[in-house]
């Protein structure tokens, strides 16, 4: 009998370093590139300048950090962004209203 078991970590073998997808590495490399360019452009003299320079790589690192339920964190971040960046007027049509206005018929 040739019965093979699939190991529990078989999906991790498709990831880079067992943790990251290729898009994760692209995001970190873009953040690192922007940070490198800022290091060349900005002469960092104060702590605020250093914070401005490191912001892209810190944000990129936080986006791809291997936390539990990694994709859920991405979806939460996207939902928060959409809430603050998109239209806030929500249109609803229910069975008791017609086009948002009440009708009274006598």
């Amino acid at each position: 009998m040739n019965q093979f078991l699939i190991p529990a970590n078989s999906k991790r073998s498709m990831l880079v370093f067992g943790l990251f997808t290729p898009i994760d590495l692209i995001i970190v490399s873009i953040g690192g590139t922007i940070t490198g360019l800022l290091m060349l452009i900005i002469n960092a003299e104060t702590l605020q300048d250093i914070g401005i320079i490191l912001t892209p790589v810190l944000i990129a690192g936080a986006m791809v950090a291997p936390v539990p339920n990694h994709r859920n964190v991405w979806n939460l971040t996207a939902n928060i962004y959409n809430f603050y960046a998109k239209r806030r007027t929500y249109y609803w049509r229910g069975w008791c209203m017609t086009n948002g206005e009440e009708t009274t018929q006598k």
Side-chain angles (χ1 to χ4, degrees):
M1 276 207 173
N2 289 333
Q3 293 182 346
F4 297 101
L5 295 175
I6 298 173
N9 62 353
S10 65
K11 289 202 177 209
R12 292 189 79 184
S13 66
M14 294 187 291
L15 301 175
V16 180
F17 304 123
L19 294 173
F20 304 108
T21 61
I23 191 71
D24 293 339
L25 297 179
I26 291 169
I27 290 171
V28 169
S29 65
I30 290 172
T33 302
I34 293 172
T35 298
L37 291 174
L38 287 175
M39 285 179 165
L40 295 174
I41 295 171
I42 298 175
N43 185 13
E45 296 177 356
T46 64
L47 192 58
Q48 184 178 6
D49 294 339
I50 294 171
I52 291 171
I53 291 171
L54 292 178
T55 298
V57 78
L58 293 175
I59 291 173
M63 288 176 66
V64 300
V67 297
N69 302 319
H70 179 67
R71 300 298 170 207
N72 292 344
V73 174
W74 269 41
N75 287 338
L76 175 65
T77 306
N79 288 338
I80 291 171
Y81 171 76
N82 287 334
F83 177 77
Y84 287 111
K86 304 290 182 184
R87 178 182 66 174
R88 289 191 187 192
T89 305
Y90 300 105
Y91 296 103
W92 177 76
R93 291 185 183 176
W95 59 269
C96 60
M97 300 180 85
T98 306
N99 294 334
E101 299 175 5
E102 293 185 33
T103 57
T104 56
Q105 296 177 348
K106 294 184 181 182

